[in-house]
Structure formats: C-alpha cells, structure tokens
Amino acid sequence: MKVFKFGGASVKDAQSVKNVAQVLETQGFSSCILVVSAMGKTTNALEKVVENYFAKTDYQAEIEKVKQNHLLISQDLFPDNHPVFAEISVFFGDIESFLRRNKSPNYNFVYDQVVSCGELISSKILSEYLNDIQFENSWCDARDFIKTDSNYREGNVNWEETEKKMASLDLRNCYVTQGFIGSDDNNFTVTLGREGSDYSAAIFAYCLNAEAMTIWKDVPGVMTGDPRKFENVSLLDHISYEDAIEMAYYGASVIHPKTLQPLKQKNIPFYVKSFLEPKNSGTKVGASEERSQKESFILKENQHLMRVATRDFSFIAEEHLSQIFSLLAKSKIKISLMQNSAISLDLCLEDMYGTVEEFNQELQEQFDTEVIKDVSLYTIRNANLEQLNKFYSDKNILIEQISQKTIQVVTN
C-alpha cells in the first residue's frame, strides 16, 4: 500500500484535477490511498461562512459562492447529467441544514462541522473523475476510520480505535479519502489542525503499514528555503527524520510537524515531490545516520512578540513560569521562541485561534506586558556565521538567539 497526499494547490481547478491523473500515470495506480485536501482556498472561504454565522450576517451568500465555484470546476470535468452535481448540492445543503439546526455556541465545534466539507467535496469530485477515466477507486469517508477525542479543531487521535477501523480496508484496492478530518465517539467531525492533511496521510500510512508515503506539492521538494521568500535556494534530495522534525518544529511549511512521528515509528520513508514534475525524484525523508549540513532558511510570519515582566522587579521564577504556561495552554497559543532575563520573559507567539488579546488581559492582572504584533521569526539552520552581516543588514532585530549553528531572530 502506498499513500499519496494531494494538497489544495494540486486540486485547485479542473486542470489541476486532470493533472492528478497524469501524476498517477507516472506512479502506478494500484494498492494506494489518495488523501485529498480542500480545493484551493476553500478552507478560507468556509472559515468566512463560520465567521458570518456567529456574526449573524449573511452566511448563506458565502456558502453559495463556494458552491458555485465547485460547480464551475465540475462543469469542466463531467457531462451535464453527471450525478456528481447532485452530490455537490447535497454537501452544501448539509452545511446549510446544520447551521439552521445548530444550537451549540461552541465556535470550534461549529467550525469543524462546516469547514470539513471542503475535503469531503474535493475528494468526491476527484474520485468520480478518476473513475470516469478508468482509474478505478472507492471513495471513503475518513471520519469512519480516523477516530479522535472531542478536542475540536485540533483532535487527538485514538490510535487503537483507528487501527481497528482501518483493518477493514482491502489493501489490494485503491481509495480516495480526505485529509484534515476524523470523528469523535459521537461521530461528530473533528479536524486535526490547520494543514493537517499531511498528518492524515501519515495516520493512514502508519495504520496500514504503508510501503511509502508521498506528499505532492507545487515545489520540487524540501528546499533550503521557501523560493518565494529567499534567494539562491536549492533542493535537499535526502534528509533524515531528525532533520525533517527539526525543520517542521522551526516552521518549515512544506512539512507538517505532526506528520513525522508516526512515520518514523515504523520507518516508513516519505517523499516530497512536485505534481508539476512528477518524474523528478524530489526529497526523500527517511532513516539516516547523516544530518544535513546545508544552510537552510525558515520564515514564520504573523507572529506576536510579547514581553512579560514582574511589577516588583523580582525574578521571573518557577511559579511565574508555571502560571504563564498554564494560561498559554488554556488559550491554545503556541510558543515559537522564548527568551528570559532576570525580570522579564520574551515570547514569540503563534496566535492560531485569535486568543492572544484575552491571554494578554489575563496576564496583566499580575504582570506588566508589552505586545508587538505581526513580527517575523527567521531560523537559519547550519548557519554560515561569516555571512550573517549580509542577512542582518536590512532587518530590525528584536530578539536574537544562537544555539550551536542554529540562529533565530525576531524582526519587525
């Protein structure tokens, strides 16, 4: 069994869907699972539906926009009388029906029930198209197989139950399913966190003892930096699990942080390849004694820098840190970088759920705080220390941290 994951960019329009079939022709289409993301910017559009719903504004109009986009894409893939059009209407009807009936004030719960429809619809369209052109496959609902707790928007996988569910899959067949989603004990949809489709693919690979897993991207593989942000980057043709985990931790967008652990546990190699050049080798991530020595650059944008200080000039001590971290966990705010002095603590934060203001207000009951919004965090691995002046020349450095040959700087 092989696991292929196709992200939103690889199914963003009709031509992209057709290209998936061309990719599969180069890879062989037997004994495989295709894990599919929502088309293009559908997730963002469905997030707007949820925002409008809670703001009591016209969410139906937003649903209709997303629906029409999917119908237009499908018109370039299927004849007018194809049953897929009715199925698309059913999916969007389900969103409207849920929102009409919903009584829950829990934003995260509602978010998961609505936003998950993007993956369900895109995977159905791809599955139907592939069957029409003789790539035989079965569409399956990932929620029937990936079981989680009820931690909406960032579900924790129940591995034992998930493995039991996946045992029913016939490994000789081909399947098209969804990334990003699972379900809890009550069969409500639970998402696995933004960009969680890579993680979904790793869950399937782990539970099915896959031969390999491939993530298809619009880049040649794992690069020494995002070519849209950095100059003179090059391809890393092979990296170890440890290198990949470190890069994901620092924020390399090409690899989702949760993806690597299940693959490493079973020594399943995975590849990052370009769906534009599927015959190229891309990057292989797997077991290796050697660590990459190439200088690489990672950029995390839309961060917030917070400085927390005691009011009586006492040291930031263990009891203070315990209190601060407890509030961070409650607010679901991730720390990208931290640095402390005697009487202050600097935190570079990722505010995924829009809770940093509330977190700041709670801290101000006992601490002095200062927040600088929308800062950037640069990480340089295997840094060439002699060339740093060139990197620093046009940046206003707010924090600098050096550990061995890894340098991190926060700038605005």
Side-chain angles (χ1 to χ4, degrees), residues 217-228:
K217 297 271 189 180
D218 57 357
V219 292
V222 179
M223 312 290 287
T224 55
D226 185 337
R228 295 165 295 189

Side-chain angles (χ1 to χ4, degrees), residues 11 36 43 62 74 79 97 116 121 124 151 154 157 186 223 242-245 272 284 292-293 305 357 364 366:
V11 289
V36 186
T43 299
E62 296 299 325
S74 298
S97 177
S116 57
I121 298 164
K124 175 61 73 172
N151 187 31
E154 201 151 0
V157 175
N186 295 313
M223 312 290 287
E242 289 76 13
D243 278 320
I245 287 169
V272 181
K284 179 183 178 181
S292 172
Q293 299 303 312
L305 181 61
E357 289 288 351
Q364 286 177 343
Q366 297 190 45

Side-chain angles (χ1 to χ4, degrees), residues 1-4 33-36 140-146 159 162-163 165-166 169 171 175-181 192 197-213 262-263 266 268:
M1 175 64 71
K2 294 180 180 178
V3 178
F4 297 140
I33 288 185
L34 275 59
V35 177
V36 186
C140 63
D141 191 330
R143 297 172 298 182
D144 294 336
F145 299 97
I146 297 179
W159 288 95
T162 298
E163 287 192 86
K165 296 287 186 183
M166 289 196 191
L169 291 171
L171 303 188
Y175 300 92
V176 175
T177 190
Q178 309 79 40
F180 185 51
I181 65 175
L192 304 177
S197 291
D198 291 0
Y199 185 37
S200 296
I203 295 166
F204 276 102
Y206 175 91
C207 292
L208 298 173
N209 296 306
E211 172 190 336
M213 172 179 139
L263 298 174
K266 290 194 174 178
I268 299 169

Side-chain angles (χ1 to χ4, degrees), residues 36-65:
V36 186
S37 296
M39 291 179 153
K41 301 297 183 182
T42 299
T43 299
N44 293 340
L46 290 173
E47 286 178 336
K48 181 69 173 172
V49 170
V50 179
E51 289 172 14
N52 284 9
Y53 172 76
F54 278 96
K56 295 184 168 41
T57 55
D58 188 5
Y59 66 85
Q60 291 96 336
E62 296 299 325
I63 294 174
E64 187 62 24
K65 286 180 192 175

Side-chain angles (χ1 to χ4, degrees), residues 269-284:
F270 90 97
Y271 299 84
V272 181
K273 295 187 177 185
S274 168
F275 58 75
L276 302 172
E277 298 173 314
K279 291 184 180 179
N280 290 358
S281 57
T283 300
K284 179 183 178 181

Side-chain angles (χ1 to χ4, degrees), residues 16-39:
S16 299
V17 172
K18 293 175 182 177
N19 185 65
V20 170
Q22 294 171 12
V23 170
L24 294 174
E25 284 181 358
T26 70
Q27 304 299 305
F29 190 67
S30 61
S31 300
C32 66
I33 288 185
L34 275 59
V35 177
V36 186
S37 296
M39 291 179 153

